[in-house]
Amino acid sequence: MFGETGYNPTAFNQPTYMALGIYWATACLCIVVAVLALNIMGFFSGTNKFDVDGRTVIITGGSQGMGRGLAKILSQKGANIVIVARTQSKLDDALKYITAAAKNPGKQRFLSISADVTIAEENIRIIDEVTTWNHGSPPDVVWANAGQAHPGLFVDTPLEISRSQMDMNYWAAAYLSHATLRSWLRPSPEKLSKPRHLIMTSSVACYVGLAGYTPYAPAKAAMRSLADTLRSELNMYNGARRNKSAAADSSPAAEVKVHVVVPGTIKSPGLVNEDKVKHEVTKILEEGDIAQTEDEVAAAAIRRLETGGYMITTQLLGDAMRAGGLGGSPRNNWLIDTIFGWIIHFAWLFIGPDMERKVWAYGKEKGAVYRPESS
Ligand SMILES: NC(=O)c1ccc[n+]([C@@H]2O[C@H](COP(=O)([O-])OP(=O)(O)OC[C@H]3O[C@@H](n4cnc5c(N)ncnc54)[C@H](OP(=O)(O)O)[C@@H]3O)[C@@H](O)[C@H]2O)c1
Ligand SMILES: *[C@@H]1O[C@H](CO)[C@@H](O)[C@H](O)[C@H]1NC(C)=O
């Protein structure tokens, strides 16, 4: 194309201005669409699709951070709550805090279970113990929220850490889902009118590759894929329940809904630990990210569950990342998600190269090499 006339750098100026125009038009459109999306979501959300009043909820990682925020709000909404974590003393404090928030003090019930959710059998024990505690009925909502990030560069991070990150951020949710669904999908002549909910807490790291998250992000991406694939599979059991002429015990007691909640940065004890080992280049890429408190992230997630969302982001940056990274994942609102997704493709033309340049420039300035003695 440039061969005949020679390379002319000024020829690039015109498209650059055009591109900048598109960039600002994109930014404005993003805001309009976001406002519209919230409006429409609120507008159509007449009925509460996540009613927990009088129902039983399990939240892993419920002793601090987002999990504790979720437990508090669900307690305010009238749920019986079971929190799971390893450290009993933290569970005791959190249980007091959650109990104090109850909508119907004295009527709601609260329980803590100390367990390590990276062990498959412990997840079976959790479901069994809660079913017994709940007078023989399985829990109505199970939220696989426990997780922990150990960021670091791939070659600097011992493989055992990357593997244990997969145990914590993927396998723990897979084990709990397996134990839960084996309990929920049994044939049952009993038919519940409200759906049961299986929820997993992923991360916006599942959408975007950021230098320094190789031990963590792949696990959260795998979790998202598990939720997408389970959602497809659960249609079969949910469909079976709609056949009125079939035998009563040829389908499960309740419809099952799966959700994946995708938060951005949360100001939690987990984040404090994460930042201790986080590479400087990761901090540069995350600069300016909005951090939510445990109450903010929990309120946003629950509000959007109540409108019936499947893949739930908790703030605007997450909304944009979700729209741009949907692939074959089910849409919450096909119109908004399609328009928003299209706009985000344009935004990535600028954000993507900018992030690549930052990492490249960091290496150029500070040097980058793998030193075996330092890991
Ligand atoms: N913080 C962020 O910026 C951020 C961003 C996106 C997504 N997320 C995700 O959001 C979720 C909540 O994060 P957070 O930062 O709010 O929580 P956090 O402060 O890190 O707390 C983690 C909770 O999980 C429990 N836990 C950890 N390992 C466990 C294990 N092996 N078995 C059972 N319980 C375990 C902890 O209690 P014990 O230590 O006593 O077991 C604690 O209750 C996680 O899935 C996280 O990956 C966080
Ligand atoms: C309902 O179930 C019965 C018995 O399994 C089956 O014969 C019938 O085809 C099903 N109906 C529909 C509409 O699929």
Side-chain angles (χ1 to χ4, degrees), residues 330-371:
R331 274 62 181 158
N332 289 343
N333 176 311
W334 67 267
L335 179 67
I336 299 298
D337 285 339
T338 303
I339 296 172
F340 209 175
W342 184 80
I343 291 168
I344 295 307
H345 278 290
F346 280 96
W348 271 116
L349 294 178
F350 301 90
I351 304 163
D354 179 58
M355 291 205 306
E356 301 212 346
R357 188 188 51 74
K358 278 180 178 153
V359 179
W360 189 87
Y362 184 92
K364 189 180 177 196
E365 189 190 330
K366 314 237 170 172
V369 68
Y370 170 60
R371 292 188 201 284

Side-chain angles (χ1 to χ4, degrees), residues 140-325:
D140 304 289
V141 177
V142 174
W143 198 317
N145 168 77
Q148 180 253 339
H150 189 289
L153 299 182
F154 190 60
V155 293
D156 290 345
T157 308
L159 284 169
E160 311 85 76
I161 289 186
S162 291
R163 197 173 251 283
S164 70
Q165 281 284 282
M166 205 71 181
D167 287 339
M168 179 74 261
N169 297 299
Y170 172 72
W171 278 109
Y175 294 147
L176 188 62
S177 301
H178 200 259
T180 302
L181 292 174
R182 282 197 164 182
S183 137
W184 284 354
L185 297 178
R186 286 165 198 228
S188 166
E190 183 195 16
K191 296 290 175 242
L192 305 181
S193 58
K194 286 180 191 160
R196 287 170 171 157
H197 300 266
L198 172 66
I199 310 167
M200 304 175 206
T201 303
S202 179
S203 160
V204 291
C206 81
Y207 299 129
V208 184
L210 291 188
Y213 272 129
T214 49
Y216 175 71
K220 291 296 195 183
M223 179 194 266
R224 169 195 169 179
S225 173
L226 175 68
D228 277 3
T229 312
L230 267 180
R231 179 171 158 130
S232 171
E233 216 166 288
L234 285 167
N235 281 316
M236 191 168 67
Y237 303 91
N238 293 338
R241 298 186 70 256
R242 294 304 173 101
N243 184 339
K244 299 230 160 34
S245 59
D249 68 352
S250 69
S251 70
E255 188 183 346
V256 177
K257 291 193 182 275
V258 61
H259 311 265
V260 57
V261 171
V262 190
T265 308
I266 306 161
K267 287 179 224 156
S268 68
L271 181 68
V272 174
N273 282 330
E274 185 182 323
D275 281 342
K276 284 179 197 157
V277 293
K278 192 175 278 175
H279 194 279
E280 203 185 341
V281 79
T282 315
K283 293 182 180 167
I284 290 171
L285 294 177
E286 288 183 328
E287 214 168 28
D289 278 10
I290 309 139
Q292 291 179 297
T293 64
E294 65 180 54
D295 288 337
E296 283 166 353
V297 70
I302 290 166
R303 194 167 57 240
R304 291 175 180 193
L305 281 168
E306 288 177 344
T307 66
Y310 158 68
M311 184 185 279
I312 293 173
T313 41
T314 62
Q315 30 114 318
L316 191 60
L317 184 64
D319 298 346
M321 286 176 168
R322 185 185 65 84

